[in-house]
Amino acid sequence: MKIVVNARLMQANRRDGIGIFSYHVLSTWITACKGIEFYVLISREEDAELIQGEHVHPVVLLPTPRHPILNFIWLEFSVRNFLKRIQPDLYIGLDGMLVQGWNGKQLSVIHDINFYHHPDFVKRSDRLSYRYFFPRYAKQALRIATVSEFSKKDIAIRIDISNRYSKPAPVTLAPTLWFFNRQDQGQKKPLIKWLSESSVKSIHPRIGQYY
């Protein structure tokens, strides 16, 4: 079995959140899964010292992805061509990013969606790129993984509504949530309450409240 892992943010001399996550997750996989060939995409040759093993193959592909435009070129040309050449069983994007031009199985690790909640914390070019591509990655992924229960709930229920017509027009939204019907088991009926023109409140007796 062959798995390609995008670990471009894992760097030997720089340990940020996703980089540290990538290092520890990969180390665990490499130790536990001796029968799997791992092809690990890294940014620089010196980062290969972080991941070692007979079944581990560090791969450096150009250009170095450090800007949304370079990210796109790296993913949709360099990584896509590499995937088509070796035909892995699975591609894992530890930074959440997937290869849209490849039809194989892909798993996306989406850490959070702070580019929605705290846009001022993210550079404008990155923010615009994330808002455009991450919904597409989420739709494309065979599975989505995340790092916390909060992020799981946050990612799962976010909905964006846009009027893409050439002229302004009112948009009417009828919020609907589907729940399993467990009233025959004595569970109370879930509710949706209208709070304002832009928000609703979901009340579920088992899974809690959401806005």
Side-chain angles (χ1 to χ4, degrees), residues 112-131 158:
D112 56 56
I113 51 174
N114 278 337
F115 47 88
Y116 281 113
H117 299 314
H118 303 287
D120 294 340
F121 295 174
V122 185
K123 290 192 301 183
R124 184 174 184 272
S125 58
D126 289 333
R127 182 173 70 250
L128 294 175
S129 175
Y130 295 161
R131 288 188 174 188
R158 181 175 181 88

Side-chain angles (χ1 to χ4, degrees), residues 34-192:
K34 299 292 186 181
I36 296 177
E37 295 290 318
F38 288 97
Y39 295 80
V40 182
L41 308 183
I42 54 178
S43 298
R44 307 166 307 173
E45 295 285 352
E46 53 264 36
D47 299 327
E49 67 184 41
L50 296 172
I51 45 164
Q52 297 181 1
E54 293 183 357
H55 60 304
V56 181
H57 311 280
V59 179
V60 178
L61 300 174
L62 297 176
T64 302
R66 288 290 183 268
H67 182 277
I69 295 176
L70 293 178
N71 288 345
F72 180 81
I73 295 173
W74 186 73
L75 284 166
E76 298 303 326
F77 291 90
S78 301
V79 178
R80 182 189 63 182
N81 290 337
F82 178 73
L83 295 176
K84 288 183 176 181
R85 186 168 74 249
I86 72 166
Q87 291 297 314
D89 298 281
L90 178 66
Y91 172 86
I92 301 176
L94 291 179
D95 59 357
M97 297 183 179
L98 302 183
V99 183
Q100 295 184 288
W102 186 63
N103 295 324
K105 296 179 181 179
Q106 302 189 58
L107 182 147
S108 173
V109 182
I110 301 179
H111 295 255
D112 56 56
I113 51 174
N114 278 337
F115 47 88
Y116 281 113
H117 299 314
H118 303 287
D120 294 340
F121 295 174
V122 185
K123 290 192 301 183
R124 184 174 184 272
S125 58
D126 289 333
R127 182 173 70 250
L128 294 175
S129 175
Y130 295 161
R131 288 188 174 188
Y132 178 82
F133 283 109
F134 268 83
R136 289 163 172 79
Y137 296 149
K139 184 177 180 180
Q140 179 183 5
L142 177 68
R143 290 287 187 276
I144 299 173
T146 189
V147 296
S148 69
E149 190 66 25
F150 175 83
S151 292
K152 174 184 175 181
K153 296 174 181 177
D154 195 31
I155 293 168
I157 64 174
R158 181 175 181 88
I159 301 172
D160 286 326
I161 306 296
S162 300
N163 170 28
R164 302 194 182 280
Y165 188 56
S166 58
K167 299 179 181 179
V171 176
T172 301
L173 175 64
T176 304
L177 295 178
W178 291 89
F179 299 101
F180 285 109
N181 184 2
R182 293 194 174 95
Q183 295 183 61
D184 58 345
Q185 302 174 16
Q187 180 173 293
K188 293 182 179 180
K189 182 179 179 180
L191 300 175
I192 300 176

Side-chain angles (χ1 to χ4, degrees), residues 21-34 38 55:
F21 170 85
S22 300
Y23 170 74
H24 286 292
V25 167
L26 263 177
S27 298
T28 301
W29 290 346
I30 290 169
T31 302
C33 305
K34 299 292 186 181
F38 288 97
H55 60 304

